Amino acid sequence: MAYAWTRREDGRLLTGQGRYVADLAVPGCLDAAFVRSTVAHARLGEVDCAPAREVPGVLGAWSAADLPGLPAVPMTVRAALSTPGAAAGRDWPSLATDRVRYAGEAVAVVLGEDRYRAEDGVSQVGVRIDALPPAVSTAEALDGSVTLFDGRDNVALEGSTGTPIDESVWRQAAVVVQARYRQQLLLPSPMECRAFLAIPEADRLTVWCSHQAPHRLRDELAATLGRPVARIRVVVPDSGGAFGSKSATFPEYITVAFLAVMLGRPIRWIEDRAEALLVATRGRGQDQRVRLAADADGHLLAYELKIDADVGAYPQIGAGLPMQTARMATGAYTTPMVHATVRSVLTTTMTTYPYRGAGRPEATFALERTMDLLAGRLAMDPAELRRRNFIPPDRFPYDTPTGRRYDSGNYAAALDLALESLDYCRWRAEQARRRADPAAMPLGIGLSCYVERSGGEPGGLHEFGGVEACPDGAVIARCGTASNGQSHATTFSSLVAAVLSVDQSRVRLLEGDTDEVADGVGSFASRSAQVGGAVLQRAAIKLIEQARGRAAGLWDLPVDEVAWSGGALCLRQDASVSMSLGELVHSTGPLRVDDRLETEMAFPFGTHAAVVEVDPDLGTVRVLRLVAVDDCGVRLNPMVVAGQARGSVAQGIGQALYEGVPYDETGIPLLPNGLLDYLLPTFTEMPPVDVRETTTPTPWTGLGAKGAGESGCIGTPPAIVNAVADALQITDPDVLQMPLTPDVVWRAAHAPKTERQR
């Protein structure tokens, strides 16, 4: 489908004119490389950096013992709110001190004239360690035999939402289904790995970083380094993706910034792919147990979700993410009783952080897989079971049993469009034909109806935005977001241009620079358009009102007699008398509106449907058809939204069929060949994807937009897994856990029928 828009970013990025942190040429800059633990859990003895200092081209090497003032990783305000008390007594050192708790944890840093010399120095550092038993899974961490912090158990956080469900409900229900699911650990895998450059300049520190929240990074660096906020500037240049993995202040950042200040030299760290596979953030990582009860007609009665979440070695914001899953447990349904409990468990793996969807994919997967189990037990079509239990449109805003207030929705419309687009009845007929033919390849159809939360949580549902008119007729838009590939330069510029009725080429967006933008929250949680776009819209409207007031003063007229038309001011009764914004600024001085908007959470939704063909002999899954119907409210740019949907679907396919971080029994990631071992779907693995939409605006802002970036990660995995289970007629999820590799599928297809349909 063609749209009238083109991305303003593309010409520059596709012709090699992008400017990433690694592209910045800074005179006298040193490169940092880190000495990393080769074991997952150990007592740390002596770290001897002296041999590294003798390597030609090495300017210095330090362990934690050599840097007594090196701060620990800060517990951010955002993390502290979501994980109260979780970090007490569990500090994350920027360089390991007495203990290492995951494979790859940094134990020393080497600075070289370039990365090659720094790596030569790394190879000469001597590290003495005494290995300890690892705790790679939540089960191992919960059995009590291994603890990561002396005197503390491995449960960093316990929480619940909803009301506990009396056992009599389960006993009296006509049908109850139970299941266990594993949400495997994933790597976000952006094209550009993490990148950090610290440049000391007189009494200031300028940081260039590929990051999602520059103002947060500035504030955390200031607090950690003991410097005034005004003496730190953070700039985010072009950024090659993030997906949640660049929203934090990492140990490497603190170490590099600390040394830059100490030495008075620019220092950079550019994470390579091997490092990223070892120590970049992990996503997902939940072990789930569910119960779902219904009456004989398929009306849901109660849903219980129990989560043991693998949050890695240190309790940062990832420890609170499972509560997102708990709060979204209700899904799209009017289930009267919902109760979810959470245990965030420390393991000897890299720390878990938000990854595209961040808690909502886990909630949707557990519920939507279980809805198919229930449909099978009731001998009911899965689509009909869902339709029968949807929250109806006239019930919004809807307060869920888990404490969410859904803003708006029409879930049946999304389901109906998905079924129509898929040609559902035709595929069911084809499935019946194949099941009657023993030689035919099994075919399955899977559905997934999801509701997600966008915008962020209370305390983070605000954003800064400003619009300024310039004497030359240009317009500058400022926003506290930071693009990581979401087309802000296109979307936000066109939004402001549309409000002002000027050509988009006249609008320039400034973001990702704490000197240029006074305040900001950032880009994560699908919040940029919903909150950032809404504040820019309001700021532009306020600019028009201020301009009308000034023009009225110049013309000695009441404001009501001054109109705004075609991007200029004019008399309401005589449009031939007009004045451009540039002329107004020349006559009256600078014209700028800075604004701050606070809003509520929004709840995008949709239905994804998949048709798959399974080869039981090879264990391969071929996705024949995939339909993604998403509702993100008002779409600011349909082309960009469609691109976001397709990219997210690709990542959803990756979780369902390919991706997962395997560990050996000692806690070492089994990825010796990099991306040859961690399989990402490529263009050749992408099936035909039919992206459709319904439009249900959020009432909380004048813009009406909801989040649009995470739908595929949420809706696609359960649709595909449901389709594979349907093809093989499997009703016991234990034999079909993600990722559905050929080995997993082959074993499921050849398991005894009593195990497959337990």
Side-chain angles (χ1 to χ4, degrees):
M1 183 178 294
Y3 296 105
W5 299 273
T6 57
R7 287 196 350 138
R8 296 180 70 172
E9 299 93 331
D10 284 348
R12 181 172 54 80
L13 295 177
L14 296 177
T15 55
Q17 299 176 58
R19 189 188 190 201
Y20 299 85
V21 175
D23 296 325
L24 302 175
V26 180
C29 186
L30 303 177
D31 278 271
F34 287 87
V35 181
R36 300 190 179 277
S37 172
T38 58
V39 300
H41 193 205
R43 296 286 180 190
L44 181 62
E46 181 185 7
V47 180
D48 183 9
C49 294
R53 299 178 187 126
E54 302 301 318
V55 174
V58 168
L59 277 298
W62 298 264
S63 68
D66 302 317
L67 297 171
L70 180 65
V73 177
M75 188 66 168
T76 68
V77 172
R78 182 175 170 222
L81 289 173
S82 64
T83 58
R90 298 184 176 111
D91 288 342
W92 188 359
S94 296
L95 293 175
T97 52
D98 61 333
R99 200 163 173 181
V100 294
R101 296 180 173 88
Y102 61 91
E105 185 167 5
V107 300
V109 60
V110 178
L111 299 182
E113 293 174 355
D114 55 39
R115 179 65 181 255
Y116 301 101
R117 290 170 173 81
E119 293 283 4
D120 288 343
V122 164
S123 68
Q124 298 304 307
V125 174
V127 181
R128 183 173 60 81
I129 57 174
D130 297 315
L132 295 170
V136 182
S137 67
T138 59
E140 292 173 346
L142 288 168
D143 72 12
S145 61
V146 176
T147 55
L148 274 70
F149 293 87
D150 295 336
R152 305 293 303 273
D153 66 24
N154 292 329
V155 178
L157 178 143
E158 292 187 85
S160 66
T161 186
T163 303
I165 301 165
D166 191 271
E167 285 298 319
S168 63
V169 174
W170 308 105
R171 289 195 302 268
Q172 296 169 13
V175 59
V176 176
V177 293
Q178 302 184 64
R180 294 172 180 257
Y181 306 109
R182 169 64 181 168
Q183 305 283 327
Q184 75 271 34
L185 288 170
L186 301 177
L187 293 170
S189 305
M191 289 188 292
E192 178 199 30
C193 300
R194 291 175 291 177
F196 186 91
L197 167 64
I199 307 173
E201 301 168 317
D203 66 341
R204 298 196 80 201
L205 178 69
T206 296
V207 167
W208 294 77
C209 184
S210 183
H211 205 272
Q212 297 172 249
H215 294 86
R216 186 202 306 162
L217 178 60
R218 176 200 63 185
D219 295 349
E220 291 175 5
L221 287 174
T224 303
L225 299 175
R227 299 168 72 88
V229 168
R231 289 174 57 188
I232 293 183
R233 177 192 183 192
V234 172
V235 184
V236 177
D238 289 322
S239 180
F243 311 125
S245 68
K246 298 176 181 177
S247 61
T249 301
F250 295 101
E252 293 86 353
Y253 297 179
I254 296 168
T255 303
V256 167
F258 181 85
L259 287 173
V261 172
M262 184 180 84
L263 300 176
R265 295 272 310 260
I267 302 173
R268 67 184 171 192
W269 172 61
I270 307 299
E271 182 180 47
D272 63 25
R273 187 62 64 181
E275 281 183 295
L277 290 167
L278 184 63
V279 297
T281 64
R282 277 26 176 181
R284 312 290 187 254
Q286 290 187 11
D287 295 304
Q288 303 169 324
R289 290 170 291 158
V290 304
R291 284 196 291 182
L292 181 62
D295 65 19
D297 294 323
H299 296 109
L300 302 183
L301 302 174
Y303 178 57
E304 180 181 75
L305 172 63
K306 295 181 178 181
I307 302 165
D308 286 334
D310 178 351
V311 300
Y314 294 97
Q316 291 283 310
I317 191 170
L321 281 180
M323 287 304 300
Q324 286 288 347
T325 305
R327 294 184 183 110
M328 293 306 299
T330 304
Y333 310 115
T334 56
T335 315
M337 291 176 280
V338 179
H339 186 230
T341 57
V342 166
R343 289 189 296 185
S344 293
V345 183
L346 301 179
T347 64
T348 52
T349 65
M350 173 54 186
T351 301
T352 303
Y353 275 88
Y355 169 50
R356 199 172 193 172
R360 286 92 79 196
E362 299 91 317
T364 298
F365 189 89
L367 181 56
E368 289 302 293
R369 286 286 288 117
T370 310
M371 287 293 285
D372 264 29
L373 296 182
L374 180 62
R377 286 282 298 275
L378 291 167
M380 183 181 294
D381 185 275
E384 176 55 31
L385 176 64
R386 288 167 167 83
R387 185 181 288 106
R388 191 166 296 189
N389 288 283
F390 280 149
I391 302 163
D394 61 5
R395 294 279 299 277
F396 292 94
Y398 179 82
D399 293 320
T400 75
T402 56
R404 292 301 198 196
R405 169 162 282 194
Y406 292 173
D407 55 340
S408 61
N410 188 341
Y411 305 148
L415 174 63
D416 290 344
L417 181 56
L419 297 177
E420 177 188 347
S421 303
L422 187 72
D423 201 352
Y424 185 71
C425 293
R426 182 180 72 81
W427 283 112
R428 283 295 183 201
E430 171 63 12
Q431 181 183 60
R433 184 194 69 77
R434 293 195 185 197
R435 286 182 175 174
D437 179 0
M441 201 78 76
L443 182 138
I445 303 146
L447 300 176
S448 171
C449 300
Y450 73 90
V451 181
E452 69 146 317
R453 178 232 63 186
S454 64
E457 292 293 310
L461 286 161
H462 58 87
E463 192 53 270
F464 169 87
V467 179
E468 178 182 5
C470 302
D472 62 357
V475 176
I476 298 175
R478 293 177 172 86
C479 195
T481 52
S483 179
N484 304 115
Q486 299 95 336
S487 308
H488 290 182
T490 298
T491 303
F492 286 164
S493 297
S494 61
L495 170 63
V496 172
V499 175
L500 298 179
S501 299
V502 300
D503 190 89
Q504 181 180 329
S505 63
R506 287 172 53 184
V507 181
R508 180 165 66 98
L509 175 68
L510 291 179
E511 63 173 356
D513 186 337
T514 59
D515 272 9
E516 289 284 358
V517 182
D519 190 16
V521 177
S523 293
F524 50 89
S526 281
R527 66 184 309 278
S528 294
Q530 178 183 323
V531 190
V535 70
L536 284 174
Q537 180 196 45
R538 194 170 76 173
I541 291 170
K542 288 182 177 181
L543 185 96
I544 291 173
E545 295 309 306
Q546 287 196 18
R548 290 179 60 229
R550 288 193 187 187
L554 285 176
W555 289 332
D556 195 23
L557 293 170
V559 172
D560 288 348
E561 295 188 25
V562 178
W564 180 267
S565 178
L569 299 142
C570 63
L571 296 184
R572 194 171 297 279
Q573 302 300 325
D574 184 1
S576 65
V577 179
S578 65
M579 178 185 297
S580 70
L581 266 180
E583 292 169 334
L584 180 69
V585 173
H586 269 299
S587 300
T588 63
L591 177 58
R592 173 174 171 173
V593 172
D594 287 344
D595 200 4
R596 184 178 183 273
L597 173 73
E598 184 148 11
T599 183
E600 301 290 334
M601 290 178 279
F603 293 88
F605 61 90
T607 295
H608 288 199
V611 178
V612 305
E613 187 176 72
V614 180
D615 187 330
D617 295 325
L618 297 178
T620 54
V621 176
R622 181 184 174 203
V623 182
L624 302 179
R625 191 98 162 82
L626 188 59
V627 172
V629 176
D630 302 314
D631 194 315
C632 62
V634 174
R635 292 168 295 137
L636 304 188
N637 185 314
M639 175 192 67
V640 168
V641 171
Q644 289 276 332
R646 291 180 185 278
S648 187
V649 162
Q651 287 177 295
I653 292 171
Q655 177 171 8
L657 299 178
Y658 305 109
E659 297 182 48
V661 183
Y663 287 87
D664 67 17
E665 65 279 1
T666 69
I668 306 299
L670 292 172
L671 300 170
N673 302 304
L675 293 178
L676 294 176
D677 293 314
Y678 188 84
L679 301 180
L680 297 171
T682 68
F683 181 80
T684 58
E685 282 80 48
M686 285 295 290
V689 180
D690 188 0
V691 175
R692 300 294 183 98
E693 64 281 326
T694 60
T695 303
T696 311
T698 179
W700 304 143
T701 70
L703 189 61
K706 304 182 183 185
E710 300 175 297
S711 58
C713 285
I714 298 169
T716 296
I720 290 176
V721 179
N722 278 339
V724 174
D726 184 46
L728 298 177
Q729 301 181 66
I730 291 172
T731 59
D732 180 8
D734 271 353
V735 302
L736 200 65
Q737 300 284 6
M738 295 187 294
L740 303 189
T741 61
D743 178 67
V744 169
V745 175
W746 186 91
R747 290 177 185 275
H750 291 83
K753 189 170 183 179
T754 54
E755 292 183 20
R756 294 167 53 190
Q757 301 182 344
R758 188 171 290 160

